[in-house]
Amino acid sequence: MPSELRLGSEATFDQALDAQRYLAGVGWAAPGWPVEHGGRGLSVGDRIACDIEFVAAGVPLPAGVLGLANVGPALMEFGTPEQRASLPRILDGSEIWCQGFSEPEAGSDLAGLRTRARPDGDDFVINGQKVWTSHGMYATHCMLLARTDADVPKHKGISVLLVPMDTPGIERRPIRMISGDSEFAEIFFTDVRVPRSALLGPLHGGWGVTVRTLVHERTGVLSRAAALENRARAIATSTTGLAPLDRDEVVRRYVDARVLGQLGRATLARGEAGEETSGLQALIKLSWGVTDRALAETALDLGWLPAVTGLRDDLAYRWLFTRCSTIAAGTTEVLKDLVAERVLGLPRG
């Protein structure tokens, strides 16, 4: 891979897009996708191994990561032939997808969403608002959750619509993060009209499509666990001459990350053996979020004055960015409920 594309987490969106296009050209943008759709047909374990090698080589996260990891697999499973025609464009970054899931009063309780898609002849008419939409300012398309039947239990009246972001009536506004980035957007839909062919999966059956999509998303936490273990190892091996308390803190972070990595490998083995692992994946995401934040705090502590004065902007940026680690891909509170139910077997309520 050209050295100018090995930029790691510091890559801009355009640089990440260039890297994705290069990988697509050599057949490695989505190694876990089936061969017939432009992938390599690798198992989950081999795909995670690829992710780890990409991180170690400094390859940035693809600009269209949500399309590659979430939307693409959903199109393969639920899409019509016309909808699956987007797959090559998702691979090479011609289409950048976001997920219109969370709303101001429907984040953790996703099924409580209020965005409506009213059937009108051959179309749906969409009105509502989405928030915390990753890559929302860059996206060309949105995988949108909307309520299509308000007279049934909330999980049963939701549908998934595939919406081009240049459709009239869509307004997006950037949300500025504490790190200075605007990775998220707030999106407003006002009388947005899309054809019935935009429906992904069954009408009013969008919750099942959503659950399957989130399974694909949370599988990615196994890669995150391995990458975090590598980062902790790098900190532990690159710091010398530390005071005893600092050394103890580094060791604790390294042990936490090692345990998390081992749990990821064990979960992967169970999954490949055909076992249900959604509860363990939730546990890994929960642990990853807490450990990622703690590791960034330790690195900032070790950087001390150069970090807080801006001479080590990478440490300060990393610390600020990890404030979202316990929110993204499932908040800590929701994940604790999942672990209690699916791992510990505790009753609901």
Side-chain angles (χ1 to χ4, degrees), residues 182-269:
S182 294
E183 182 177 327
F184 303 101
E186 190 174 23
I187 305 177
F188 298 86
F189 299 83
T190 305
D191 293 330
V192 175
R193 187 174 289 271
V194 296
R196 292 273 188 146
S197 59
L199 179 67
L200 178 65
L203 181 64
H204 314 318
W207 189 251
V209 178
T210 303
V211 169
R212 290 292 301 161
T213 301
L214 293 177
V215 166
H216 294 304
E217 180 178 47
R218 289 187 177 141
T219 298
V221 303
L222 303 179
S223 298
R224 294 182 186 179
L228 183 62
E229 183 180 357
N230 286 345
R231 192 181 312 128
R233 182 183 294 109
I235 293 174
T237 56
S238 64
T239 51
T240 57
L242 296 176
L245 288 178
D246 288 338
R247 185 175 63 249
D248 288 348
E249 184 175 349
V250 170
V251 169
R252 284 198 300 272
R253 299 293 171 254
Y254 177 66
V255 170
D256 290 343
R258 282 281 291 167
V259 170
L260 183 59
Q262 292 293 337
L263 179 59
R265 284 185 278 275
T267 301
L268 175 61

Side-chain angles (χ1 to χ4, degrees), residues 83-94:
Q83 291 169 341
R84 288 196 294 271
S86 282
L87 292 173
R89 298 189 287 272
I90 291 175
L91 270 181
D92 66 15
S94 299

Side-chain angles (χ1 to χ4, degrees), residues 33-39 67-68 70-92 95 97 141 162 197-201:
W33 282 21
V35 174
E36 62 268 26
H37 292 304
L68 294 171
N70 298 2
V71 179
L75 294 181
M76 295 176 207
E77 185 170 355
F78 298 101
T80 65
E82 292 76 17
Q83 291 169 341
R84 288 196 294 271
S86 282
L87 292 173
R89 298 189 287 272
I90 291 175
L91 270 181
D92 66 15
E95 291 183 4
W97 284 75
H141 292 75
L162 307 177
S197 59
L199 179 67
L200 178 65

Side-chain angles (χ1 to χ4, degrees), residues 11 24 26 42:
V26 295
L42 300 187

